Amino acid sequence: MGIFVILLHASILWAQTRQEIRIPDVMGYRTLKCDFHMHTVFSDGLVWPTVRVDEAWREGLDAISITDHIEYQPHKADVPTNHNRPYEIALPRARDRGILLIRGAEITRDTPPGHFNALFLDDINPLDTEELLDAMAAADKQGAFIWWNHPGWKPDRKGWFDIHTTLYEKRYLRGIEVVNGETYYADAHRWALDKNLTFMSNSDVHDAVPLEKTTAERHRPLTFVFATGKNIPALREALRAGRTAIWFERKVIGREEYLDALFEAAVRVSDIQYEQGKTNAVRFTLRNDSDLPVDLRRTGKAGPRELSLPANAVARVRVGVESVEKPVQLSYVASNFLIGPEKGLPVTLAVAGQLVIDIKAEIGRD
Amino acid sequence: MGIFVILLHASILWAQTRQEIRIPDVMGYRTLKCDFHMHTVFSDGLVWPTVRVDEAWREGLDAISITDHIEYQPHKADVPTNHNRPYEIALPRARDRGILLIRGAEITRDTPPGHFNALFLDDINPLDTEELLDAMAAADKQGAFIWWNHPGWKPDRKGWFDIHTTLYEKRYLRGIEVVNGETYYADAHRWALDKNLTFMSNSDVHDAVPLEKTTAERHRPLTFVFATGKNIPALREALRAGRTAIWFERKVIGREEYLDALFEAAVRVSDIQYEQGKTNAVRFTLRNDSDLPVDLRRTGKAGPRELSLPANAVARVRVGVESVEKPVQLSYVASNFLIGPEKGLPVTLAVAGQLVIDIKAEIGRD
Amino acid sequence: MGIFVILLHASILWAQTRQEIRIPDVMGYRTLKCDFHMHTVFSDGLVWPTVRVDEAWREGLDAISITDHIEYQPHKADVPTNHNRPYEIALPRARDRGILLIRGAEITRDTPPGHFNALFLDDINPLDTEELLDAMAAADKQGAFIWWNHPGWKPDRKGWFDIHTTLYEKRYLRGIEVVNGETYYADAHRWALDKNLTFMSNSDVHDAVPLEKTTAERHRPLTFVFATGKNIPALREALRAGRTAIWFERKVIGREEYLDALFEAAVRVSDIQYEQGKTNAVRFTLRNDSDLPVDLRRTGKAGPRELSLPANAVARVRVGVESVEKPVQLSYVASNFLIGPEKGLPVTLAVAGQLVIDIKAEIGRD
Amino acid sequence: MGIFVILLHASILWAQTRQEIRIPDVMGYRTLKCDFHMHTVFSDGLVWPTVRVDEAWREGLDAISITDHIEYQPHKADVPTNHNRPYEIALPRARDRGILLIRGAEITRDTPPGHFNALFLDDINPLDTEELLDAMAAADKQGAFIWWNHPGWKPDRKGWFDIHTTLYEKRYLRGIEVVNGETYYADAHRWALDKNLTFMSNSDVHDAVPLEKTTAERHRPLTFVFATGKNIPALREALRAGRTAIWFERKVIGREEYLDALFEAAVRVSDIQYEQGKTNAVRFTLRNDSDLPVDLRRTGKAGPRELSLPANAVARVRVGVESVEKPVQLSYVASNFLIGPEKGLPVTLAVAGQLVIDIKAEIGRD
C-alpha cells in the first residue's frame, strides 16, 4: 500500500514574499543584513532602480545602497546623467517594503587609486569633480562613510599606494571591501585588520539577482552591521565604529570579537547524557540556530575530528571521557569563521552544568 | 567588477544531521511530528529496520513505529518470521538518536475488513491468530491503540462494513488513516469527524525514503500529536484522546480546534502602519513562523482576494480602509487548513491595537 | 567502506553557456523556439534591452522580439521615448549570440480593443498614431505580422468585439495569444481554431527572467515555429502560414497536425519482447527523446491506465495480450497535448513489426 | 499584464522511469555505464537486492554487480548466510529492467591485503575459504575478473605489500579501484598506470541510493566499460582488456587513449565566423553533447584563459587572430579529464575547414 510522497507548489509565489535570514543579534546590537554596492541602468547596471529594492526585500535584507558610477555613464545617450535619480526612484518602494535605502554613489577612477563608495549623502552632484580629492572632500563634508571597493582589481596594478595612505590619513577612507561579488581579497583582509578599517562585503551586482531563495549554500555576499537599531543614523554609527562582519559563501569573516559572539549565539550544546560502563562517554546535541553553516575541526584531544553543522541543523555527538564526573571542554576551531586569512576562530564546546537526561527511562516502555 | 555569486556545499552532510520541522506547540501541549506506519525487510519492505530510525532523525521526526505485516511475509524464505525483531534491531539506534520508537504491527486481512495497525504492544506474537477478532482482543489486552489503515484501498470493495461497526463498538477501533502515502480519503475524513476517530496520517513507506531535506513542498505525510511531553505514555494518552492533526502536501487536516490553534500560533500580524490622505489605507506585515504554508482566500469585503504565505515567509499587505481610527478585521478562509472535506478554516486577521510605526521618520534622513 | 556520493559545481557558470531545448524538427521544417513579447526600461519593463538577448541565449531560444509599448512610457522622464532604441541596442548582442532579433512593438489601447503586437517592422515610429486603425495600417504597410495579446485581460470587459472583427476582416489580425505569461485563455484557444488564427504563446516578461535552467518543469511559455530555416523571412512566412504550437507548463497546445507530428517524433516504442506462458504478454520500452513531458491516459482496453513519461525518460511497459502472434495497437490520449480546450491528442502506440529480443539469452550466463 | 512563468510537476514520477546518461560510444565500442560494487541486507548493506536493480534502472546504468561480503555477515542471526541469494533474488527484476546483472562477491580480509571483488562467478560458495589464496584460486577457476577494492583504506596500513605482488603475478589481480564511493586514491591511480591494471570506480553503496536524477553535478561514481556489445561476455572481455574509464564527481579518469576518444566524441567546434577589421577575430560555437562537464585551461597563446562547458551546453567563443586566412589551432588542457594524478588531458580545438557563416546576412533584415 501507498508509497509515500509529495510536493509541488508554485515557487514563483515566494517572489512576492520575503524570506528572513536567521542571523542572531549579538552584544546587545541588532544584526542588520546589508548590501551597499549595486548598479542600475543609471550607470552600467542592467535593471531599473526599484528592482534592487524588490530583490532586497525578497532575500531578507534590511538595508541597501544603490551606488551607480558617477563618472562612468555608458547609457547616457538613452538615460541622461542624473546622479540622484536612482535613489529618488527607488525610495517610495523602499518605504513600502520597509527596506532602509541609503543614498550612495561610486567614485570611479582607474586603479590606482581605483573605486570608492560613499554612503549617507544628501546630494551626489557635488561629488562629480575632476579631482579625486575634491570628490572625497565633497563627500566628507556631507558626513559620508567611504570605503575602497574591490582592492585587487586588475592584478597587475594592485596594492596599497601613496594615494591610499593619503585618503586614509585624511580619514576619508574608513572601510574596505574584503569581499566583492565572488572574490575574496586576502590583502584587503590583512589591511582591514592592520589599519582598523571596517570590513565590507557587497555584491556589486549589475545584472538582476537570480530569483531564488537565499540559503546557506547560495546567497549574495552580505555585510552584517551590528547597529543599535534599524534606522539610518544607527547604521552610520555602526559602520564608522567598525561593527561589521562578512558572510561570503560558507564563510563568516571579521574581527574575532564579532565572530565569537555570532558563534556563541548560534551554536548550543544541549540534551547532555552520560553513559557509565566499560567505556565512559557523554552524548550531547549540538544545535545551530542560524542560517550560517558551521565547520568544526578538532584542536584538542577529545571529540570527533570534524563536525559539520549545516544551517538550522542538529547533530548528535558521542565523546569518550575518562570520568563522567568532570565537565568536558572540547577544543575546536570553526574553520569557516575567519578571524584572519586562512585562520579559523578557536571555540570551546562546554559540555557541562546541564541536566542529565536519562533517555532509557523516557524512551520505550520496557 | 564583480558579478554576484555563489554556492556549493556538500549536501550529503545533512544526511548526518537533523533538520527540525518548525510546527508550533499549541494549547499547552507539545507538538510531536510522527509517522506510525512503515515496513522493513521483515515483511514486504525493502530496508533494514535501523534505516527507518535514521530517516526519521534526518527529517526532524519525534516518534515512529515500524509496523511490519504479521500475516504477509514474502521474504520469509530468506528472513525467517520473527515479529518482534524489527523493533529490537531498531531500538538501540532510536535511543542514540532520541527518537521515540513504538512497538507496533500491521494486522493484515483482505478488504473488507482490510488492514489495521496496533501500537504500544509488549509482544507482537499473540496477535498472530487465525481470527481477526482474536488478534484485536490480544492487542487490546496489551493496551494497544488501533486504527484502520488506508480505508478506500481497492475502490471496488471499499466502505464501512458491519465488521467495522463491530470493531468500533468493541472500542478496538479508535483511529483512521485519513491520509496514507500519497492518498487522501474523503470518506475517512467524514467518518473521523462523525465517529470521533483519531485523525491519522502515515507514509506506509516500503522503499527507502528519499534522502532530501524536508520542506513545505516536499515532506512525508505526518501525524502531529499534541502530547503532554515527548515520551511514550504521553503519546498514547494523546492518541486515545484524539489530539492529532495531519500534514499532507500543502494541507493541514483535522478538527477545527487544533487547526485554529496551529494557525493562530503560526501567523502573526505586525508592523501596522496607517496612511491618511485621499484614500485611507493600512499596511501591515503578515508573518508565518512555521513550516506550514498558508493559503488565504478572502471571504469578507476588505483585503487582497488571495494571499499565499509560504513557510517561514513574510508578506507586506496594503488594505484600503474607510477610517484609520477603527480597528480592521479581515475575514479569510485558510483554504489549505481543512476542517472537513474541501472545507477550509475560517480565520480573522485582526489589524489593530498595535503600535503605529511612522516609517517615514525612520527610513531616510531627508 | 565508502558511502557513495558527490556533487558540487558552480551553477553560476551556466549563465555564460546555453542550454539547448530538445524539441524535434517535424514535417521537414525546423522547429524554432521563440518568445515574441517582452519589455525593457524603454516602456514599463525593468531591464536593459541586452538582457533579453542574454536570457534567450541561456535558455536555448532561437528568436525573440522586444515589444515595448508605443503609447505607454512610464519611464520617459528618465528614458526619453525612442521606439527603435531597444532593437538597436540589443541587435549587436543578438548577432554575437546567434539569436534572431525581430523588430517589434506593442500597440497599446485600453480593452476593448486591447493590446496588439506587430513584428517585422522597419521603423516603429509611424505606428505612434492617435487612431488604432492608422497604427494598424502603418504596420501592415511595412509587412507586419500582427496578433492580439492576452485576450481575456480585464475579465469584466473581455470578449470578441466589433473592432476585432474589423481588424480580422482587414487581415490585420493574423494571430492570437492563447497563452500569455502564466495565463491560458480557453476563449482564445477556441477563436484560434475557429478563425484560423496563428497560435501564439509569449512570456510578456517585464522583470528579469530567473537565472535557472530551462526544464520541462520550469520554463517560460514558448511559441514553437515550424520554419523552413533559421532566418527572419522563414520565420515570417511560417507565422503567416499558422505553423506554430505552444509550450506552456506541461502542456503542448496547437492544431492536431503539428501536435501529432511532435508526438510521433518524440515518442518511440522499442525493445519489444514477447512472453508466452500461462498468461501471454508483451514488454516494450517507451522512449521520450524530447524536453516535452508526455502524459498518457488509456482509451482502449489494453495497457496501463496511465503512463507518464517525463522529458528524456524511458519507461518499460508490460501488457497482457491474447496472442503473441498479432501486432498490438494501444489506444491512448496524450492528455497534455491539447488540440482543443481540455481535449487531448488521440495517439496509438504500435507495438509491432520490430525485432523480438530474447533477453534471457543475453543477460546472465546461466 | 503577464509576468512570466513556470513549473511544477510531480518529480516522483521519474522514480518509475529511467533517465539515460549521455556518454558517447567511442572507438567502435559501446560505452556501458556500470557500478560493480554494492551491498544488501545479505551482508552489511541496508536494502533488499531488488532495490539495487531499481536504482540502476532509474539512474541510467547498463550493468551492475551485487557484491556482498562473503566473510562478514553481521545480519546472519536474522538473514542466514546464503551467498548466492542476492543474485538469485535480483535476477528476475534485472531481466525485466534490461539491466545486466553479474554474479559477484567481495572477498574480505583485514588490510593488508584488504578486500577484493570477483565477478562473473557461477557459484560463490567455493570462495568461502579460510585462506585468501584458496578463495582467489576458486574464483579464478570460474573465470572471474578480480580487483582490489579501496586501496588506501586504513591510511596507517596502506600500501602495496608482498601479498599484492603475489596476487598480481599469479594474474588473479587484474584491476584496481581508483575511486571508491567518495574517495579517489592517487596511489591506486599510479599503480593502475604502472602495472597496467583495469581502472575501476564503484559506489560501494550500503545504504539506499538517494532518489534523485543523475546529473553531471550529482551522480554515483561509475566505471565506463568500452565493450563490443551490451552482454556479459562482451563486458568480461572488455574488463580483462582494460578498456574502461572512470566518472567521479566532475572528473573523468583513465588512460589517455580513452579520455581522448571521449573528449573528441563529446566536444565539437561549429558555426565558425571570421571578422575582418581593425582587429581580426574568429568566433565559434563550442558544443558539449554529453553529460560530462568539460573544464578547459589554455596552454597555448590564443583563446580565453579558462572555458567551462557544462554538460549538454553550448558556449560562444571569440578569439583574436593575426589573419583570418589561416586555420586556428587552440591548445588547451581538459583539466578534469585526468590521464594521471593531477594531470589533465592535452587537447586541441581546431577552428578551421568549416563553412563560414555570414551571420549579418542572416539575422535582421536591415
Side-chain angles (χ1 to χ4, degrees):
Chain A
M1 196 59 9
I3 347 159
F4 104 109
V5 166
I6 310 307
L7 89 130
L8 50 156
H9 150 62
S11 70
I12 198 65
L13 281 174
W14 91 267
Q16 303 148 16
T17 53
R18 171 175 170 91
Q19 211 72 25
E20 298 287 353
I21 308 174
R22 293 182 77 199
I23 309 295
D25 292 335
V26 294
M27 302 166 82
Y29 296 110
R30 184 153 170 196
T31 301
L32 302 180
K33 284 79 77 180
C34 310
D35 181 2
F36 297 126
H37 190 167
M38 56 189 68
H39 297 273
T40 74
V41 295
F42 283 83
S43 64
D44 58 345
L46 299 172
V47 303
W48 196 246
T50 54
V51 172
R52 297 299 177 215
V53 175
D54 289 343
E55 292 166 345
W57 155 257
R58 228 163 54 203
E59 296 180 38
L61 272 62
D62 295 303
I64 62 168
S65 181
I66 295 173
T67 53
D68 275 311
H69 298 285
I70 294 174
E71 301 81 359
Y72 181 53
Q73 296 272 318
H75 301 157
K76 73 179 156 191
D78 297 291
V79 186
T81 294
N82 192 338
H83 299 308
N84 289 305
R85 283 298 288 159
Y87 174 80
E88 291 165 6
I89 290 170
L91 188 61
R93 182 78 62 120
R95 284 183 171 146
D96 283 0
R97 296 293 206 186
I99 297 289
L100 291 180
L101 180 70
I102 299 163
R103 198 190 298 249
E106 184 161 16
I107 302 168
T108 308
R109 297 294 186 280
D110 197 8
T111 186
H115 298 186
F116 303 85
N117 271 5
L119 298 197
F120 308 109
L121 300 172
D122 295 312
D123 180 4
I124 297 167
N125 289 319
L127 281 65
D128 195 350
T129 65
E130 185 73 23
E131 292 301 320
L132 175 67
L133 288 175
D134 293 346
M136 289 283 173
D140 189 61
K141 199 171 147 198
Q142 297 184 33
F145 174 82
I146 303 174
W147 72 93
W148 185 7
N149 296 336
H150 41 76
W153 177 46
K154 302 200 178 171
D156 50 331
R157 276 181 287 158
K158 71 177 186 183
W160 182 283
F161 291 84
D162 288 348
I163 178 67
H164 300 116
T165 301
T166 302
L167 296 174
Y168 179 66
E169 290 179 348
K170 281 179 179 285
R171 312 207 54 174
Y172 293 155
L173 192 66
R174 294 171 184 270
I176 191 162
E177 278 184 356
V178 176
V179 167
N180 175 288
E182 52 188 342
T183 310
Y184 157 81
Y185 300 100
D187 283 345
H189 194 169
R190 277 182 285 265
W191 295 333
L193 289 169
D194 294 350
K195 298 171 199 289
N196 205 25
L197 294 165
T198 300
F199 282 70
M200 303 299 287
S201 167
N202 299 304
S203 70
D204 200 357
V205 63
H206 286 68
D207 210 328
V209 173
L211 185 71
E212 295 181 5
K213 278 176 73 163
T214 288
T215 65
E217 284 78 46
R218 191 165 176 82
H219 62 91
R220 57 167 133 179
L222 293 183
T223 303
F224 297 145
V225 181
F226 308 110
T228 56
K230 184 178 168 185
N231 58 71
I232 286 182
L235 200 55
R236 186 168 171 274
E237 184 274 332
L239 286 171
R240 289 195 155 224
R243 290 201 310 274
T244 66
I246 284 172
W247 191 25
F248 173 60
E249 295 174 354
R250 291 178 67 72
K251 303 185 197 77
V252 185
I253 303 172
R255 296 189 198 288
E256 183 164 3
E257 62 187 302
Y258 304 120
L259 267 49
D260 198 59
L262 283 170
F263 182 89
E264 291 299 324
V267 177
R268 284 188 303 121
V269 170
S270 66
D271 306 324
I272 300 168
Q273 172 191 5
Y274 289 95
E275 296 174 2
Q276 204 153 5
K278 254 196 318 194
T279 58
N280 295 325
V282 60
R283 280 179 200 279
F284 60 92
T285 292
L286 206 59
R287 288 176 184 274
N288 177 359
D289 289 329
S290 80
D291 278 342
L292 306 171
V294 176
D295 297 328
L296 294 170
R297 208 180 57 241
R298 193 182 69 199
T299 52
K301 288 183 181 163
R305 189 183 306 265
E306 297 201 326
L307 255 172
S308 189
L309 204 54
N312 301 299
V314 176
R316 185 89 183 138
V317 183
R318 185 182 183 279
V319 178
V321 292
E322 284 182 24
S323 149
V324 299
E325 316 276 297
K326 280 188 288 182
V328 178
Q329 301 278 336
L330 304 175
S331 295
Y332 278 82
V333 67
S335 57
N336 66 325
F337 279 57
L338 296 179
I339 58 173
E342 298 183 47
K343 185 173 174 200
L345 173 75
V347 297
T348 300
L349 304 177
V351 186
Q354 301 198 24
L355 187 69
V356 175
I357 296 165
D358 183 357
I359 283 194
K360 290 208 184 72
E362 198 178 319
I363 297 183
R365 302 198 301 176
D366 43 0
Chain B
M1 195 60 8
I3 347 156
F4 114 113
V5 166
I6 307 301
L7 89 127
L8 51 154
H9 150 62
S11 70
I12 197 63
L13 281 175
W14 90 265
Q16 303 149 17
T17 54
R18 171 175 170 91
Q19 212 71 24
E20 298 286 355
I21 307 173
R22 292 181 77 199
I23 309 295
D25 292 334
V26 293
M27 302 165 81
Y29 297 110
R30 184 156 171 191
T31 301
L32 302 179
K33 285 78 76 180
C34 310
D35 181 2
F36 297 126
H37 190 168
M38 56 190 68
H39 296 272
T40 75
V41 294
F42 284 84
S43 64
D44 58 345
L46 299 172
V47 303
W48 196 245
T50 54
V51 171
R52 296 299 178 215
V53 175
D54 289 344
E55 292 166 343
W57 157 256
R58 230 163 53 204
E59 295 180 39
L61 272 62
D62 295 303
I64 62 168
S65 181
I66 295 172
T67 53
D68 277 311
H69 298 285
I70 294 175
E71 301 81 358
Y72 181 54
Q73 296 273 316
H75 299 158
K76 76 179 157 192
D78 296 291
V79 186
T81 294
N82 192 338
H83 299 308
N84 289 305
R85 284 299 287 160
Y87 174 80
E88 291 164 6
I89 290 170
L91 187 60
R93 183 76 63 118
R95 284 183 171 147
D96 283 2
R97 296 292 206 186
I99 297 290
L100 292 181
L101 180 69
I102 298 164
R103 197 190 300 249
E106 186 163 14
I107 302 168
T108 308
R109 298 294 187 278
D110 197 6
T111 185
H115 298 185
F116 303 86
N117 271 5
L119 297 196
F120 309 108
L121 301 172
D122 296 311
D123 182 6
I124 297 166
N125 289 320
L127 279 66
D128 195 350
T129 64
E130 185 73 23
E131 292 300 321
L132 174 67
L133 288 176
D134 293 345
M136 290 282 173
D140 189 61
K141 199 171 148 197
Q142 296 184 34
F145 173 81
I146 303 172
W147 72 92
W148 184 8
N149 296 335
H150 42 78
W153 177 48
K154 302 199 178 171
D156 49 331
R157 275 181 286 158
K158 72 176 185 185
W160 182 284
F161 290 84
D162 288 349
I163 178 68
H164 301 115
T165 301
T166 302
L167 296 175
Y168 179 67
E169 289 179 347
K170 282 179 176 287
R171 312 207 52 176
Y172 292 155
L173 192 66
R174 293 170 185 270
I176 191 162
E177 280 184 353
V178 175
V179 168
N180 175 288
E182 51 189 341
T183 310
Y184 157 80
Y185 300 99
D187 283 345
H189 195 169
R190 277 182 283 266
W191 296 333
L193 289 169
D194 295 348
K195 299 171 197 290
N196 204 25
L197 293 165
T198 300
F199 281 70
M200 305 297 288
S201 167
N202 300 302
S203 70
D204 201 357
V205 62
H206 286 67
D207 210 328
V209 173
L211 185 71
E212 296 181 4
K213 279 176 73 165
T214 288
T215 65
E217 284 78 46
R218 192 167 174 82
H219 63 88
R220 58 167 131 178
L222 293 182
T223 304
F224 297 146
V225 181
F226 309 109
T228 55
K230 184 179 168 182
N231 59 70
I232 286 182
L235 200 55
R236 185 168 172 276
E237 184 275 331
L239 286 172
R240 289 197 155 223
R243 290 201 309 275
T244 66
I246 284 172
W247 191 25
F248 173 60
E249 296 174 354
R250 291 177 68 73
K251 304 183 197 80
V252 185
I253 303 171
R255 295 187 198 288
E256 184 163 3
E257 63 187 300
Y258 304 121
L259 267 48
D260 197 60
L262 284 170
F263 182 89
E264 290 300 322
V267 176
R268 283 187 304 122
V269 170
S270 66
D271 307 323
I272 300 169
Q273 174 191 5
Y274 289 94
E275 295 174 3
Q276 204 153 5
K278 252 194 321 193
T279 59
N280 296 324
V282 59
R283 281 180 199 278
F284 59 91
T285 293
L286 206 58
R287 288 177 183 273
N288 177 358
D289 290 328
S290 79
D291 279 342
L292 305 171
V294 175
D295 298 328
L296 293 170
R297 209 180 56 237
R298 193 183 67 198
T299 50
K301 287 182 183 164
R305 191 184 304 267
E306 296 202 325
L307 256 172
S308 189
L309 203 56
N312 300 299
V314 176
R316 186 90 183 139
V317 182
R318 184 182 184 279
V319 178
V321 291
E322 285 182 24
S323 149
V324 301
E325 315 277 296
K326 277 188 290 180
V328 178
Q329 301 278 336
L330 304 175
S331 296
Y332 278 83
V333 68
S335 57
N336 67 324
F337 278 57
L338 296 180
I339 58 173
E342 299 184 45
K343 186 174 174 199
L345 174 75
V347 297
T348 300
L349 304 177
V351 186
Q354 301 199 24
L355 187 69
V356 175
I357 296 166
D358 182 357
I359 283 194
K360 290 210 183 74
E362 197 177 323
I363 297 181
R365 300 197 301 177
D366 42 2
Chain C
M1 194 61 7
I3 349 158
F4 104 110
V5 168
I6 311 307
L7 88 131
L8 51 157
H9 150 61
S11 69
I12 198 67
L13 281 174
W14 91 268
Q16 302 150 16
T17 54
R18 172 175 169 90
Q19 211 72 24
E20 298 287 355
I21 307 174
R22 295 181 75 199
I23 309 294
D25 292 335
V26 294
M27 303 166 81
Y29 297 109
R30 184 155 169 195
T31 302
L32 302 179
K33 284 80 76 180
C34 309
D35 181 3
F36 298 126
H37 190 167
M38 56 189 70
H39 297 272
T40 74
V41 294
F42 284 83
S43 64
D44 58 345
L46 299 172
V47 304
W48 196 245
T50 55
V51 172
R52 297 298 177 216
V53 175
D54 289 343
E55 292 166 346
W57 155 257
R58 229 163 54 203
E59 296 180 39
L61 271 62
D62 295 303
I64 62 168
S65 181
I66 295 172
T67 51
D68 276 311
H69 298 285
I70 295 175
E71 302 81 359
Y72 182 53
Q73 296 271 318
H75 300 157
K76 75 178 154 191
D78 297 291
V79 187
T81 294
N82 193 337
H83 299 308
N84 288 306
R85 284 297 287 159
Y87 175 78
E88 291 165 6
I89 291 170
L91 187 61
R93 183 77 62 117
R95 283 181 172 149
D96 283 1
R97 297 292 205 187
I99 297 289
L100 291 180
L101 180 70
I102 300 162
R103 198 190 299 248
E106 185 162 14
I107 302 168
T108 307
R109 297 294 186 277
D110 196 8
T111 185
H115 298 187
F116 302 87
N117 272 4
L119 298 196
F120 310 108
L121 300 173
D122 296 311
D123 180 5
I124 296 167
N125 290 319
L127 281 67
D128 195 350
T129 64
E130 184 74 22
E131 292 301 321
L132 175 67
L133 288 175
D134 293 346
M136 290 281 172
D140 190 60
K141 199 171 147 196
Q142 298 184 33
F145 173 82
I146 303 173
W147 71 93
W148 185 7
N149 296 336
H150 41 77
W153 176 49
K154 302 202 178 168
D156 49 332
R157 276 181 285 159
K158 69 177 187 184
W160 182 284
F161 290 83
D162 287 348
I163 178 68
H164 301 116
T165 301
T166 303
L167 297 174
Y168 179 66
E169 289 179 349
K170 282 178 176 290
R171 310 206 57 174
Y172 293 154
L173 192 66
R174 294 171 184 270
I176 191 162
E177 279 183 356
V178 176
V179 168
N180 174 288
E182 52 187 340
T183 309
Y184 157 81
Y185 300 99
D187 283 345
H189 195 170
R190 277 182 285 264
W191 295 334
L193 289 169
D194 294 349
K195 298 171 198 291
N196 204 26
L197 294 164
T198 300
F199 281 69
M200 304 298 287
S201 166
N202 299 303
S203 71
D204 199 359
V205 64
H206 285 68
D207 210 328
V209 173
L211 184 73
E212 295 182 5
K213 281 176 71 163
T214 288
T215 65
E217 283 79 44
R218 191 167 173 81
H219 64 89
R220 56 168 133 179
L222 293 182
T223 303
F224 298 144
V225 180
F226 308 110
T228 56
K230 184 179 168 184
N231 59 70
I232 286 181
L235 200 55
R236 185 167 171 277
E237 184 274 332
L239 285 172
R240 288 195 156 226
R243 290 201 309 275
T244 67
I246 286 173
W247 191 25
F248 173 60
E249 296 175 353
R250 292 178 67 73
K251 304 183 196 79
V252 185
I253 303 171
R255 295 190 198 287
E256 183 163 5
E257 63 187 301
Y258 304 121
L259 267 49
D260 198 59
L262 283 171
F263 182 89
E264 289 301 323
V267 177
R268 285 187 302 122
V269 169
S270 67
D271 307 324
I272 300 167
Q273 173 192 3
Y274 289 95
E275 295 173 3
Q276 203 152 6
K278 254 196 317 194
T279 59
N280 295 325
V282 59
R283 281 180 199 277
F284 59 92
T285 293
L286 205 59
R287 290 179 182 271
N288 176 359
D289 289 327
S290 80
D291 279 342
L292 305 172
V294 176
D295 297 328
L296 294 170
R297 208 180 55 240
R298 193 182 68 199
T299 51
K301 288 184 182 163
R305 189 184 305 265
E306 297 201 325
L307 256 172
S308 189
L309 204 55
N312 301 299
V314 177
R316 186 90 183 138
V317 183
R318 184 180 184 280
V319 178
V321 292
E322 283 183 24
S323 150
V324 300
E325 314 278 297
K326 280 189 288 183
V328 179
Q329 301 278 335
L330 305 175
S331 296
Y332 277 84
V333 68
S335 56
N336 66 324
F337 279 57
L338 296 180
I339 58 174
E342 299 184 45
K343 185 173 174 201
L345 174 75
V347 297
T348 300
L349 304 177
V351 187
Q354 302 199 23
L355 187 68
V356 175
I357 296 165
D358 182 356
I359 283 196
K360 290 210 182 73
E362 197 178 320
I363 297 182
R365 302 197 301 175
D366 41 2
Chain D
M1 197 54 12
I3 345 158
F4 105 111
V5 168
I6 308 305
L7 96 116
L8 47 160
H9 151 62
S11 71
I12 198 62
L13 281 175
W14 90 266
Q16 303 148 17
T17 54
R18 172 175 169 92
Q19 211 72 23
E20 297 288 354
I21 306 174
R22 292 182 77 199
I23 310 294
D25 291 336
V26 294
M27 303 165 81
Y29 297 110
R30 182 155 172 195
T31 301
L32 303 180
K33 284 79 76 179
C34 310
D35 180 3
F36 298 127
H37 189 168
M38 56 190 69
H39 297 272
T40 73
V41 294
F42 283 84
S43 64
D44 58 345
L46 298 172
V47 302
W48 195 245
T50 53
V51 171
R52 297 298 178 216
V53 175
D54 289 342
E55 290 166 346
W57 156 257
R58 229 164 53 203
E59 295 180 39
L61 272 61
D62 295 304
I64 62 168
S65 181
I66 295 172
T67 53
D68 276 311
H69 299 285
I70 295 175
E71 302 81 358
Y72 181 54
Q73 296 273 317
H75 301 158
K76 76 178 155 191
D78 297 290
V79 187
T81 294
N82 192 337
H83 298 310
N84 289 306
R85 283 299 286 159
Y87 174 79
E88 292 165 5
I89 290 169
L91 187 60
R93 182 77 63 118
R95 283 183 171 148
D96 283 0
R97 295 292 206 187
I99 297 290
L100 291 180
L101 180 70
I102 300 163
R103 197 191 299 250
E106 185 162 15
I107 302 168
T108 307
R109 297 293 187 278
D110 197 6
T111 185
H115 298 187
F116 303 86
N117 271 6
L119 297 197
F120 308 108
L121 300 172
D122 295 312
D123 181 4
I124 298 167
N125 289 320
L127 280 67
D128 194 351
T129 63
E130 184 74 22
E131 292 300 322
L132 175 67
L133 288 175
D134 293 347
M136 289 282 174
D140 190 61
K141 199 170 147 197
Q142 297 184 33
F145 173 81
I146 302 173
W147 72 92
W148 185 6
N149 296 336
H150 41 77
W153 177 47
K154 300 197 177 172
D156 49 330
R157 274 179 289 159
K158 71 177 185 182
W160 182 284
F161 291 84
D162 288 349
I163 179 67
H164 301 117
T165 302
T166 303
L167 296 175
Y168 178 66
E169 289 180 347
K170 280 178 178 289
R171 312 207 53 176
Y172 292 155
L173 192 66
R174 294 171 182 270
I176 191 162
E177 279 183 356
V178 176
V179 168
N180 174 287
E182 54 187 341
T183 310
Y184 158 80
Y185 300 100
D187 283 345
H189 194 169
R190 278 182 284 265
W191 296 333
L193 289 168
D194 295 348
K195 297 171 199 290
N196 205 23
L197 294 165
T198 300
F199 281 69
M200 305 297 287
S201 167
N202 299 303
S203 70
D204 200 358
V205 63
H206 285 68
D207 210 329
V209 174
L211 184 72
E212 295 181 6
K213 279 177 71 164
T214 288
T215 66
E217 283 77 47
R218 191 165 175 84
H219 63 90
R220 56 168 133 180
L222 292 183
T223 302
F224 297 146
V225 181
F226 308 109
T228 55
K230 184 178 168 184
N231 59 69
I232 286 182
L235 199 56
R236 184 168 173 274
E237 184 275 332
L239 285 172
R240 289 198 155 220
R243 291 201 309 274
T244 66
I246 285 172
W247 191 25
F248 174 60
E249 295 174 354
R250 290 178 67 74
K251 305 184 196 78
V252 185
I253 304 170
R255 295 188 197 288
E256 184 164 3
E257 63 187 302
Y258 303 120
L259 267 49
D260 198 58
L262 283 170
F263 183 88
E264 290 300 323
V267 176
R268 284 186 304 121
V269 170
S270 67
D271 306 323
I272 299 169
Q273 171 191 7
Y274 289 94
E275 296 175 1
Q276 206 153 2
K278 256 195 318 194
T279 59
N280 296 324
V282 60
R283 281 180 199 277
F284 59 92
T285 293
L286 204 60
R287 290 178 183 272
N288 177 0
D289 289 329
S290 78
D291 279 342
L292 305 171
V294 176
D295 297 328
L296 294 170
R297 209 181 55 239
R298 192 183 69 198
T299 51
K301 286 181 184 165
R305 192 185 303 268
E306 297 203 324
L307 256 173
S308 189
L309 204 54
N312 301 299
V314 176
R316 186 89 182 139
V317 182
R318 184 182 184 277
V319 177
V321 293
E322 285 182 23
S323 149
V324 300
E325 314 277 296
K326 280 188 289 181
V328 179
Q329 301 278 334
L330 304 175
S331 296
Y332 278 83
V333 67
S335 57
N336 66 324
F337 278 57
L338 296 180
I339 58 173
E342 298 182 46
K343 187 175 176 197
L345 174 76
V347 298
T348 300
L349 303 178
V351 186
Q354 301 198 25
L355 188 67
V356 175
I357 297 165
D358 183 356
I359 282 196
K360 290 209 184 74
E362 197 176 321
I363 297 183
R365 301 196 301 176
D366 42 4

